[in-house]
Amino acid sequence: MNLTASKMPLPKMLLVFLGTLIAGNVLLFLIQTFLPNVPMPGSIGIVFAMIASMSAGGSAATTLGRTLPAKEKLVFAVAATLASLVLTVALFWGLFAWHGVPFTMSNVIMAVTGDAAPDAEIATFLPWIALFAVVISLLVCYFGVGFGAKNQLRALERKAAKDK
C-alpha cells in the first residue's frame, strides 16, 4: 500500500481530539459540581487525553482506511499537545479575566496548587514540571492515536467480515 497516496486529515483529527477533550472536561466539571463527594483521580487528564487521541486516530483510520505511520503519529502528537496547551492557557486567562485577577505566574501557581500563599520554591521547579507534562502529553497522544487507528481498522474489518 502506498502511504503517500492519502494525506493525514490533521485538521479533522484535531477537531475530534479537542472536541472529545472539551466534552470530557465539561463532564468532569458537571460531576464535580453536582456530585462533589465523588473522588476523582489526579490522572483523569491523562485518561481524557488518551480517549481523545484514540478518537482522533479512529476518525483518521476511517477516513484513510489505513493506520498512521510514525511520522504522522508524531505530527499529530505535537499538534495535539500544542493545541491543548493553548486551550489550557486560554482557559486560565479567561477565568482570571472573568474574576478580575491578573494573569501572573504566582496567581497561576496559586490556582493550580490551591495554596493561598504559593511557595516560592515551586516557581523554580515549574519549568521542569511543565516539560514533564509536555513529554507525557506527547507520549499519550502518540500512542493513543496509533492505538485508536488500529482499533478502528479492526472494527471495520470485523464489520466487513460480518456483512459478507
Side-chain angles (χ1 to χ4, degrees), residues 6 11 16 33 38 48 56 59 62 71 75-76 82 86 105 110 120 127 130 146 157 163:
S6 53
V16 169
T33 300
V38 173
F48 286 157
S59 92
T62 301
K71 181 180 176 185
V75 166
F76 171 78
L82 288 175
V86 166
M105 189 56 65
M110 189 171 20
E157 288 172 359
D163 290 343

Side-chain angles (χ1 to χ4, degrees), residues 53-76:
S53 295
M54 289 172 61
S55 298
S59 92
T62 301
T63 301
L64 299 173
R66 62 171 172 84
T67 60
L68 302 172
K71 181 180 176 185
E72 289 180 346
K73 290 189 291 188
L74 183 60
V75 166
F76 171 78

Side-chain angles (χ1 to χ4, degrees), residues 31-102:
I31 290 172
Q32 288 180 337
T33 300
F34 295 111
L35 302 169
N37 294 331
V38 173
M40 289 293 158
S43 61
I44 196 78
I46 294 171
V47 172
F48 286 157
M50 178 63 83
I51 292 168
S53 295
M54 289 172 61
S55 298
S59 92
T62 301
T63 301
L64 299 173
R66 62 171 172 84
T67 60
L68 302 172
K71 181 180 176 185
E72 289 180 346
K73 290 189 291 188
L74 183 60
V75 166
F76 171 78
V78 169
T81 299
L82 288 175
S84 61
L85 184 62
V86 166
L87 190 63
T88 301
V89 169
L91 178 70
F92 270 100
W93 181 83
L95 286 173
F96 280 30
W98 178 266
H99 292 285
V101 176

Side-chain angles (χ1 to χ4, degrees), residues 10-11 36 39 61 63 75 77 80 87 100 105 126 129 132 139 144-145 147 152 162:
L10 187 60
T63 301
V75 166
L87 190 63
M105 189 56 65
L126 194 60
I129 294 169
F132 181 73
L139 289 171
V145 75
F147 190 65
Q152 182 65 19
K162 190 183 241 187

